[in-house]
Amino acid sequence: MSDSMSDAASASAHGQQHRYPTEAGAYELIEEIGHGVSATVWRAECKGTGETVAIKVLDLEEHEPEHLDEIRREAQTMSMLSHPNLVKYHCSFVNGAALWVVMPYLAGGSALNLMKWSHPSGFEEPVVACIVKAALKALDYFHRNGNIHRDVKAGNILVDENGQVKLADFGVSASCWGSGGRPRSHQTFVGTPCWMAPEVMEQEHGYDFHADIWSLGITILELCHGHAPFSKYPPMKVLLMRSEERREGKECTSRWST
């Protein structure tokens, strides 16, 4: 077992001193704080302790049946990982047709929302450096433990009440290691087009954790300029534009949205 996995296991065992309930009735959903294609995030209260938590409710009916076990396994895996710059999963459980994932509530919100409210044209360089440094630490730990995030962007980088930056939203994350500890190449089309690596779009030879590095690079541009390349266009338009530029041998960030 690697040092990082040993640290995670130790932290997880320590965290078991405070167990979070695994039934929906133990939580009160207070307000919706985020929404995606197949998931909604709520600010909630754990009735037994009064602790404020965030609960991601993932609609399992939106996924193919063969993917459900993988989704559950990934949620369980995330609850075992522990790093100061990763949002930890406290627990997860199935409630009806939904998977509930209980996480810490980070009052600072996302880097995207903070940027929109205070710096719509992008953060200053020292702020970008602080955010990216934390994201790099989180990704390094995540990758060394055999996982791919697959949706790195400013909206998935959160800030807690103390100003600590944490990478979040592992709803589309996946293990990148196959049997025998060998790297595994994925061919699943997931992520957000503006931040998506070319190899994920093309689906020709598969992809691995390097796709996250591309997405982080686009995220840096987003943090510096206030928006990602092509962000004003619909997702399908972005896919077409990126494919066209790849065929023409151009850099995908050569044109910027306004």
Side-chain angles (χ1 to χ4, degrees):
M1 178 180 292
S2 67
D3 291 341
S4 53
M5 282 300 292
S6 298
D7 293 343
S10 176
S12 177
H14 179 73
Q16 292 300 315
Q17 295 177 6
H18 175 39
R19 293 183 179 274
Y20 289 83
T22 54
E23 61 276 346
Y27 300 93
E28 178 184 357
L29 302 182
I30 299 173
E31 65 172 336
E32 182 179 321
I33 57 175
H35 189 80
V37 176
S38 61
T40 303
V41 182
W42 294 82
R43 180 170 67 88
E45 179 181 301
C46 182
K47 296 177 181 178
T49 63
E51 179 184 355
T52 300
V53 296
I55 298 181
K56 183 174 184 177
V57 180
L58 183 69
D59 186 355
L60 297 177
E61 293 183 342
E62 293 290 327
H63 297 268
E64 296 296 329
E66 60 267 23
H67 295 158
L68 299 185
D69 286 340
E70 181 180 357
I71 292 171
R72 295 189 185 102
R73 285 196 300 270
E74 287 175 7
Q76 293 171 351
T77 298
M78 287 306 306
S79 68
M80 298 177 62
L81 299 180
S82 180
H83 188 277
N85 299 115
L86 280 181
V87 175
K88 181 177 176 60
Y89 285 9
H90 291 320
C91 68
S92 61
F93 54 91
V94 174
N95 178 45
L99 176 69
W100 286 35
V101 181
V102 182
M103 303 173 287
Y105 173 69
L106 302 186
S110 70
L112 176 62
N113 285 337
L114 291 172
M115 183 169 57
K116 284 184 175 180
W117 293 336
S118 61
H119 294 77
S121 297
F123 288 123
E124 296 88 351
E125 184 175 339
V127 177
V128 174
C130 179
I131 295 172
V132 173
K133 180 179 180 180
L136 281 169
K137 288 182 177 180
L139 281 178
D140 176 61
Y141 172 84
F142 204 55
H143 292 163
R144 283 189 290 109
N145 282 290
N147 296 282
I148 314 172
H149 187 283
R150 301 202 289 187
D151 201 19
V152 178
K153 56 185 179 181
N156 287 337
I157 299 175
L158 306 184
V159 182
D160 68 14
E161 62 275 11
N162 299 316
Q164 188 167 25
V165 177
K166 296 176 181 286
L167 185 61
D169 200 348
F170 311 98
V172 294
S173 66
S175 172
C176 63
W177 299 105
S179 60
R182 294 185 296 272
R184 184 173 67 188
S185 178
H186 288 268
Q187 292 184 315
T188 310
F189 189 84
V190 293
T192 311
C194 287
W195 293 262
M196 195 178 289
E199 61 268 30
V200 180
M201 286 188 174
E202 293 168 356
Q203 296 291 293
E204 292 181 356
H205 306 292
Y207 59 91
D208 58 16
F209 66 90
H210 292 94
D212 283 344
I213 305 304
W214 174 283
S215 298
L216 182 62
I218 300 298
T219 301
I220 295 172
L221 294 175
E222 178 188 15
L223 294 171
C224 290
H225 295 275
H227 58 85
F230 308 129
S231 59
K232 74 174 183 180
Y233 299 109
M236 287 307 299
K237 177 68 172 178
V238 174
L239 294 175
L240 291 173
M241 292 173 65
R242 292 275 295 273
S243 296
E244 178 185 347
E245 290 199 334
R246 289 282 291 177
R247 287 195 300 270
E248 295 175 356
K250 297 177 181 179
E251 290 294 331
C252 73
T253 54
S254 61
R255 295 196 299 263
W256 281 82
S257 58
T258 57

